[in-house]
Amino acid sequence: MQFTSEQRLDDGVLEREFTLGEIPGILWTPASATAPAPLILIGHPGGLHKMYPRLVARARHSAEYGFAAATIELPGSGDRPRFATAEQARADLHRALEAGEPVDEEIVDRLVLPLVERAVPEWQAALDALLSLPEIGGPVGYSGGVIAIGVRLAVVEPRISAAVLFAGSFVPRTTFEEARQVTIPLHVLLQWDDEGNDRQAALDLFDAFGTKEKTLHANLGGHTGVPQFEGDAAARFFTRHLS
Amino acid sequence: MQFTSEQRLDDGVLEREFTLGEIPGILWTPASATAPAPLILIGHPGGLHKMYPRLVARARHSAEYGFAAATIELPGSGDRPRFATAEQARADLHRALEAGEPVDEEIVDRLVLPLVERAVPEWQAALDALLSLPEIGGPVGYSGGVIAIGVRLAVVEPRISAAVLFAGSFVPRTTFEEARQVTIPLHVLLQWDDEGNDRQAALDLFDAFGTKEKTLHANLGGHTGVPQFEGDAAARFFTRHLS
């Protein structure tokens, strides 16, 4: 892990860009940290540059609650090399959406599963590197992004103690089976009137999660209209489980 | 409105029992109130004495956030005279439940609608009396209890500015139609694994509410197992809308 830039934001949060091999990432640590800080891994749909304003807002909000936050670029997104299977699936998806056709499960599998297979070990490698820093302690939470990645991480990565998941992306069939194996506390956000999202699939996924500590928060406002107070609710969830 | 007893609880909350005509009720005001306090009407399934421990806990919790709280006995519950239609419907309901039969919509209508018809004007009369007290200001929130009463109050009583509803009781068909007319902010609690509750009906009711500001919080824990952190979430909802 190589730090490539460093700046102090106006609220005192330290923002450092890094590379982990060929993967770019960003780490934010709170100004006031005296002890090693618990860490939140910030998921996103891909494209660090484009997503930066929202990512830094989430990181600064986490810092107010005493959490460090980190994110890495997804495979095939941003400046990272594309991979052919995902590009083909993405083209097929757009074709189906433009034609107003239902999105075939097989397209979702081709789109999401290779991404999960590649992204999860990268998040784990990032976690190795981040937890070796003296200013990062743990426990670790995972928040948002592609829900199939969050579910897989919750199942395979024992260092993740709690997760906030956003039910707003396509869910491969196998993710429902993996969901039954999740035992960590979950806080699931659902935008009730998200037209691009299958509400029933989101409710079925919430039902499938094996954990006894799961909360669903549903709101109006469309795909990107998560109400501001939900940021506080997520931070309080992490405070309950990572402190 | 006649106060019949008064005691100061150990956290300084003033608890006063009252009667409003033949209806018994309880008013709690926060110790620290310097200005007239906003008011939360605390709904319940009936039976003030039996419910007292849970009611006083909710009132004390509301007082921590600066709210006064009040409740009245439901028609036909506690020490109040029974009425024949509801008693007959209750007997029919228990017979259906014991026989493991699905509960007929017609039984739900006979059970709940006469209760709504009687209870809503009583809550409104209580509101008249409570808002005439110098220590109570407003705005007013309604919280919990029989959901059909909460929905009707949200529609017909303009002095109620926000409501927390518990999706845990039988919903008459007409309540779904009334739900479309609700325009105040709503915070709906659903116990996901409540075996005595029809989860799909609760989700359908949440979908039906006409308000743009509605949030659903679903948790595990069975009918009476609402997690403690939901008390804080409800208080923060009221703080956003009654302050």
Side-chain angles (χ1 to χ4, degrees), chain B:
Chain B
M1 182 181 217
Q2 203 96 38
F3 287 108
T4 56
S5 79
E6 173 174 327
Q7 65 166 323
R8 184 72 69 174
L9 307 180
D10 55 15
D11 53 3
V13 171
L14 181 65
E15 175 181 286
R16 283 176 285 178
E17 296 189 302
F18 62 83
T19 55
L20 186 77
E22 301 193 335
I23 309 165
I26 315 176
L27 169 64
W28 295 270
T29 43
S32 55
T34 49
L39 173 68
I40 294 174
L41 302 176
I42 298 190
H44 56 83
L48 276 193
H49 287 303
K50 198 182 62 187
M51 293 297 296
Y52 176 79
R54 277 193 269 171
L55 296 170
V56 71
R58 288 163 67 193
R60 293 167 91 145
H61 191 262
S62 300
E64 287 174 31
Y65 288 79
F67 299 116
T71 191
I72 54 174
E73 184 60 279
L74 285 186
S77 285
D79 297 333
R80 300 189 62 189
R82 302 290 176 266
F83 52 99
T85 52
E87 290 300 297
Q88 182 58 51
R90 202 184 307 266
D92 294 345
L93 172 70
H94 287 168
R95 203 172 304 131
L97 291 175
E98 274 166 27
E101 292 165 9
V103 177
D104 199 273
E105 289 176 340
E106 173 272 332
I107 297 179
V108 172
D109 287 351
R110 279 196 288 122
L111 182 73
V112 181
L113 293 181
L115 187 63
V116 174
E117 289 296 337
R118 287 162 192 243
V120 166
E122 293 182 356
W123 277 107
Q124 294 182 292
L127 202 47
D128 292 342
L130 290 160
L131 288 175
S132 73
L133 299 172
E135 61 270 38
I136 307 294
V140 180
Y142 176 86
S143 172
V146 177
I147 197 164
I149 295 176
V151 172
R152 175 73 60 85
L153 273 168
V155 171
V156 302
E157 179 45 70
R159 291 173 294 181
I160 293 179
S161 303
V164 172
L165 300 177
F166 181 60
S169 48
F170 294 106
V171 184
R173 289 160 288 187
T174 49
T175 300
F176 288 89
E177 291 150 37
E178 285 176 74
R180 294 181 205 289
Q181 301 167 45
V182 175
T183 55
I184 60 170
L186 293 182
H187 178 102
V188 181
L189 289 170
L190 168 62
Q191 287 301 95
W192 193 258
D193 57 348
D194 181 347
E195 286 178 12
N197 189 17
D198 181 340
R199 187 198 296 163
Q200 192 56 51
L203 294 170
D204 291 345
L205 186 62
F206 179 72
D207 195 46
F209 285 122
T211 178
K212 292 277 167 258
E213 286 191 80
K214 56 182 177 184
T215 298
L216 177 75
H217 282 200
N219 291 284
L220 300 193
H223 185 75
T224 58
V226 178
Q228 203 154 10
F229 57 78
E230 286 294 355
D232 290 314
R236 276 187 294 264
F237 165 79
F238 280 130
T239 299
R240 285 201 303 276
H241 295 291
L242 304 184
S243 299

Side-chain angles (χ1 to χ4, degrees), chain A residues 81-149:
Chain A
R82 303 289 176 267
F83 51 100
T85 52
E87 291 300 298
Q88 182 58 51
R90 203 184 306 265
D92 294 344
L93 172 69
H94 286 168
R95 203 171 304 129
L97 291 176
E98 274 167 26
E101 292 166 9
V103 177
D104 199 274
E105 289 176 339
E106 175 269 335
I107 297 179
V108 172
D109 287 351
R110 279 195 288 121
L111 182 73
V112 181
L113 293 181
L115 187 64
V116 173
E117 289 296 336
R118 287 163 191 241
V120 166
E122 294 182 355
W123 278 107
Q124 292 181 293
L127 202 46
D128 293 341
L130 290 160
L131 288 174
S132 73
L133 300 172
E135 61 269 40
I136 307 294
V140 179
Y142 175 86
S143 173
V146 177
I147 197 164
I149 295 176

